Structure formats: C-alpha cells, structure tokens
Amino acid sequence: MIRHTITFFLLLLLLSASPTDASQEDQLMRFIESTAKKRQADRITALPGQPPRVNFDQYAGYVTVNEEYGRELFYYFVEAPYEAATKPLILWLSGGPGCSSLGYGAMMELGPFRVNPDGKTLRRNKHAWNNLANVIFLESPTGVGFSYASNNSDNINKRGDQRTAEDTFVFLLNWLERFPEYKGRDFYIAGESYGGHYVPQLATVITFMSELHRTTFINLHGIFVGNPILDNYKNSEGNLEFLWSHGLISDEIWAGIRANCTFTPKDDGRWCSVLGQASHISGIYPRNIYDPRICLPSAREGYMAGYDPCMEYYVEAYLNTGEVQEALHARTNTNWLACPRTSGDLDSTCSITSTRYSVKDLNLPVTTPWRAWYTPDFEVGGYVQQYEGGFTFASVRGAGHLVPSYQPERALVLLYSFLKGRLPPG
Amino acid sequence: MIRHTITFFLLLLLLSASPTDASQEDQLMRFIESTAKKRQADRITALPGQPPRVNFDQYAGYVTVNEEYGRELFYYFVEAPYEAATKPLILWLSGGPGCSSLGYGAMMELGPFRVNPDGKTLRRNKHAWNNLANVIFLESPTGVGFSYASNNSDNINKRGDQRTAEDTFVFLLNWLERFPEYKGRDFYIAGESYGGHYVPQLATVITFMSELHRTTFINLHGIFVGNPILDNYKNSEGNLEFLWSHGLISDEIWAGIRANCTFTPKDDGRWCSVLGQASHISGIYPRNIYDPRICLPSAREGYMAGYDPCMEYYVEAYLNTGEVQEALHARTNTNWLACPRTSGDLDSTCSITSTRYSVKDLNLPVTTPWRAWYTPDFEVGGYVQQYEGGFTFASVRGAGHLVPSYQPERALVLLYSFLKGRLPPG
C-alpha cells in the first residue's frame, strides 16, 4: 500500500533532524524555540461568541507537510478540561472525500461547541469527546476547509488516498514537535464515512514506518471508524438492501436488483448502485433517511429533540466570518465549505447493512457474540460483536451518518469503552 | 367467513323492527323517542380538564349488542367542528386484540385531545382526524376498556373475531338509530394492528348483509388499516427480516433463521418467530425500535420532539379518574386498562416488511407504481403504490406502530387523500 520511494524520502527527512554534532545541537535548539513559538502563536485566546467559563485550551493553525508545493494542513486542537496530561490523544478525520473535520467533526459532532442558529455564537456540547481525550481535528487533504497548497501546480487532481495518508503522517510528526508533551502519549485515530479509507491507511503508514525504523514515532493504540465506506461493491449491495428494507424502493425494483446485479465490476451502474436509484428516493436526506430534507425552516422543530438539521448552515456562516477565521489563525477571506456539494452525497452513505457485508467479508471468527450494549440510563445504545484479534463491530441505535450529531451520548459511551479497551457495557 | 346461522339471527332482529300496523307504529315512535333520549344522555357536557373553546360535540356511552348476555359496547364519538353534517363518518378500531380504541386511538393518536403529564388535564391535538370527519372510537369486544358483558357466563373464552365483527355490526345499526342523521352518510372503517383482522372482517359482514338483504344498511365507502397484522407467517417472516435489516439481531442468527424456517406450521417457534428471538432484543420497545423503552422519566425529553413515550401512563391515570368516568358515562369504578400487558406485545408488532410480504401474497397487478408522497411542507411523507381494484399500500416515514402518535401530520394527510378517493400528493 505504501510506496518505498516515499517511505525513503520520509526517512531522509527524519534522519536529517537527528543531532550528531555541536552545530546540529544549535540547530535543534533553534528548532525547539521556533516550535514553542509556533505553539504559542496557535493558541486561541477565545473563539468569537464562545460561552463563558471555557475551561480547556484550544489551538488552531497550519502545519507544513510539503515545502516544495507549500502544502499546509489546518488543524483545530482541543485539550481535555481536566487531567489533559494523562488523557490520550485522538486524531479525528471526517470523510467525503473533501469534507471538513472542523466543520463536521468539531462543530456538528464531537467538538466542545455547537454553533447557534444565529451563526455567530457558540454553546457547549455536553457530550464532547474532549471530556475523555485531547482531540485534533485535521482538515485533510489540502483543498479541504482551510487547508491549502500555495503552489497551484500541486493540482487537486494529483491527490490520492496514499498521499493523504503520507501527508497526515508528516503532519503528526511535525505537530508532535510543536506539542512535545504528547510524544509517546496513547494515540488513537478516529473518523467516519470516507474516513473508513483514511483511518486504516494512516494506521498502515504509522505501523509500516515504525517497523521499518524500529522506532515508535507514534504510540498508536487503536482505530475507530463510524459508518465507514470500506468496499465499494459491498457498500452498494448493502445500501440497496437497506433502501428496500427501510421502505424506500419498491418490491419490483428490488427484485430487479437481485436478479441483475452481481456487485462486481460487471454491473450496470444505472441499476446496481444507490446513485442509479437516486430518482426513486429524491427528497430523502441520504445521511439519515428519517431526517427532514436539508434545510427548510419548518424542519428545525418537530424532528429529533436536540438535533437541528439546519446546523450545517450555521457552521458555514460562523466559519466564514472574518473575525472567526482570524481567531482560528486560518487564512482570512477563505471561502470555507463544509463539503463539496457537487455530487456523490448519496453515494457516500454507508448503511449498517453495507458495513455488515464488509465485516462478514473479513471472515473472522466471532469471539464475543452479538449482544446489546447500554447507556447509563439503561437504554439500549446499540449492539456489539467482537471478532478474533479484537476487531469490534458496534452499532449505534437511532443514529444517522454523523453518529455523534444524532446520538452524542451514545457515541461518547462507545468512545469511553473503546479507550478503556473494553466492550461497551452489557 | 360469516356463518349463515348468525346472519339469519341478525336478519330476524331487523325484520322484527319493520313497521306493518298501527301498534307497530306506536312501538316505532316510542323507539325513536327513547333513542333521542339516549343520544341526549350520551352527550358529554365537558371532559374534566379539557382546554377552553372546544368547538365540537362529544358523546360517549354504551350500546347494547346482545341483551341475553348483557353485552354492552362503549363508544366515544367526536363530531367535526365545522360542517359535521356533510363530513363522512369513520369508525376507529384499535388492535391488540384487547387494546382500547379510546385509550390508543382517541387519547394517544387521532382524537381531539392528548392527556397532559399531570394525568388530569387535556390539550388539543391539532392533527385530530375530526378536522376531516366525524369519528367513533369503539372499545371492542366486551372486556376491552369500558365495554363489558353483565352476564358472567358470557365467558371471555367464547370471544372470537367473528363474534366481534357481528357485535360491531349490531352496534353500528343501533348507534345509527341513536344518531339517525348519520344514516346513509359516507362511512369508513379504520384501524391498526390487530385491526388488520377487525376492519376487513367487519367490512365483510356489512357487505354480506347488504347483498343478502339488498339493502344498504351502512354506506361503506372504504377501509383503512395501519401497520396491520394480516397473516401470522408472513408477519413472522417480515418481522424477523426487519430485525436483521435494522441491526437488532446478529448475522449468525439471521443465517440460522434463513436456513431453518419455512414460515409454515412446520416451523420451530423458538427459532422462527419474533417471540422466539425476544431474548436477543430485550430492552427494545417493539412498537418503535428507536423509542426509549417504556417508560423512564429520562425518556420524556431527548427523543422525538412532540412525542412522549410515557403518555400511556397519563391516559391510564386520566381514564381511571372517577370524575372522568362519570363525564364519559362509563361504568364508574372500572379499572380501565389501555391493553392487557401480560404478553404478546412483541409478537403483535407489524413491520413494513411483513406488510409488503402480505401485499405481495395477494398477487395483484400494479396500476400506479411505487412513488414518494409529500406533506404540505414538501417533506416525503412516505411511499405509495396502487394495485388493480384500487387497493393501495402507503408507508408513513419515521413512524412507529401507532402511526398517528409518531407522525400525526403525515397520518392526517394520508387520511385526507383516502377520504377524497385520491392517492396522496406526489
């Protein structure tokens, strides 16, 4: 999965930073001073409109991952309010590809704040993940959110998952220089949707580099992906079955799909993909089929208490405010977008049926059979099954694609168990 | 389905009421006077705790359906606030068997009021069906809610769907004597759950009697059933598939079901019924798998805006108040129960998958293919497909078993189209 040329290149970079003589020691001191300064520069005094009594530190800014093309990745980092020094470090990667971890992960799902409907003020999210960990939200790859490449010849078409993983690895090494107290800290990668590609690919780069250099660059303890896209064909097969079993397509269309689709490259896309069936399910928000469609004023009440289907608009308004971009140390006058909206939204939806087909495809022996797991108020939070090697599949009951948006408490319970290395409470 | 002996018995009753001479004319006059008195006696002055400005008439009381055994059926009738005289008449039958149409249909779903958490006061339901029609809620058969048999030898074990249908037919004939302006009015039967048996069976009795006597006793225009139980085996098959596709049972159990169950009487109930799988889904409220389980105080907030999973408790408190039983002209000191709670709740759940399998079993040609239908605010309300002969299958998006509880507006839109003899808006 990882090309050796790139690995070698990274290796050279790393070796060049190891001190061997006095001049290199000076160089290292200057480097440490400059990273300490950068860290101080990244510190957020306060986000515009944030609620009173914010009791944790926030940082945001850019980390250069490629000097030649000026590739700059933007991060937003929130520490835990209590005992941050002993809590683990999580890197969050939203999906898309092309969706912002700041806009989705931080502002709509698991970050410390939610944006109010005024698009100007923030309120606390009481189920924020920084209650349990220190969380980096990374906008990746360049072109997403505030991340950019200053050299235009670093064309958007040159992007690919492999380069994304390598850039993210470089980001982490550089970020740890800026925040050295996190070196060696228990580290986890979490994400969702297309993060089903980003997360395991980054884990592979980290593991590969560690084995190659016999050095623990990053103390990776586990990965955690929500509603991931894993395999395109299993995803199509599962999503189409999901559409039928949830009453969205007719018996006749479903019979046609079963008769005509093999879920291999031989298939006819008009028939055998969710996108091919899109005309039949227009008016349905693909990320949660029970959601009001995005975004009518009437939809803000009457659906799920505490959930506002219009929040993407508040987040876009907030992050496109000059004052906010300044407070975040982002390039000002950026036209910030949560996600490209051109197409593919429907196609990117990952149903539970799809995930089950992909898990089944791994053909792992079951070690802990399927059982319900519970939230502290004795509600069924979902179901869980564990496989050989510790691989765990857990569902979250009543959640749409962005799990911590719809079920913030249930997502936090799952994270808690994950970080403890246990199955969620039975 | 209807035994001739019973039909003949009904026929005799009817013939004995037809006037042929002067003494019979007197008898008829006395009958009319007595029914007018009964109607006046049934009029509800005001329900305790009802909100101000109630602008429609309400009636409640008993109609004798069998004098020998003293079988008395309790009804609650609400007229439309405007143009009641030209609006159709609907009979609502909740399911169970054994659940109350007053408690469920009227007080939790489509009636004019909802009971407040205090168990003492009422508020308006703005999507009440009496906006469009005059609605009778019938507690049926005897033993359900306030309905009773005064002669104990009319044992509960003698009940059966056929007698229920016949008693309901007699109820309607007698009720129409008490409310003669509704004779000949467009009449519809609606219901849910086990109403999937009650509603078509009553329609069969009405049609059969009309054909036999060449008289339109009741001007039946159509039937309307929500989440009906139709066929036990199709219901089991569909429900088990629904449990799997909605992430409630494991792949392993589902594979076992598919390998071992034929959905015929040969099956092993431990494996091949939802009840047999109940241990795997304990903690899930079977009537809406996304509901909080019934009923924890913490569940009253945070789920679906406007829906309170504890409302059954408020209704029971309200209907067990002496003052309320008096206002309703029910036998006071009745220990009123919404439903028997002994068992079978899970088994009675009717998933969309089950209904589809039963509809498919009818093997009717499709005349209007599957399409979305919309609410006035342009949300997808669900999907609809029509078959030869006008048989229509419509789904309601995001609803649990008691559709008008979870989605009162969508249920009302569907009713509106049904009464107009149209498909819901596309």
Side-chain angles (χ1 to χ4, degrees), chain B residues 43-66:
Chain B
R43 186 143 192 269
I44 295 169
T45 321
L47 286 175
Q50 78 176 28
R53 290 179 294 281
V54 168
N55 54 352
F56 53 86
D57 286 336
Q58 308 175 68
Y59 299 85
Y62 290 98
V63 169
T64 307
V65 295
N66 180 291

Side-chain angles (χ1 to χ4, degrees), chain B residues 168-200:
Chain B
T168 308
F169 181 66
V170 176
F171 164 84
L172 285 171
L173 295 182
N174 286 335
W175 187 91
L176 285 169
E177 293 305 328
R178 210 173 285 185
F179 294 84
E181 73 271 35
Y182 285 100
K183 285 184 182 175
R185 189 77 59 92
D186 289 354
F187 179 75
Y188 298 89
I189 319 169
E192 74 195 353
S193 192
Y194 200 77
H197 283 202
Y198 293 151
V199 173

Side-chain angles (χ1 to χ4, degrees), chain A residues 118-188:
Chain A
D118 61 10
K120 290 174 184 163
T121 56
L122 304 175
R123 66 182 187 281
R124 288 291 280 261
N125 165 21
K126 72 173 177 171
H127 299 110
W129 286 18
N130 72 327
N131 289 308
L132 301 178
N134 306 285
V135 189
I136 309 171
F137 299 92
L138 179 65
E139 300 207 296
S140 160
T142 56
V144 172
F146 290 120
S147 293
Y148 67 95
S150 55
N151 184 334
N152 282 334
S153 72
D154 190 48
N155 197 293
I156 210 159
N157 295 325
K158 284 192 198 158
R159 279 191 207 158
D161 286 350
Q162 185 172 310
R163 200 181 76 181
T164 300
E166 290 156 4
D167 276 2
T168 308
F169 181 67
V170 176
F171 164 83
L172 285 171
L173 296 181
N174 286 335
W175 187 91
L176 286 170
E177 293 304 328
R178 211 173 286 184
F179 293 84
E181 73 271 35
Y182 285 100
K183 285 184 182 175
R185 188 77 60 92
D186 289 356
F187 179 74
Y188 298 88

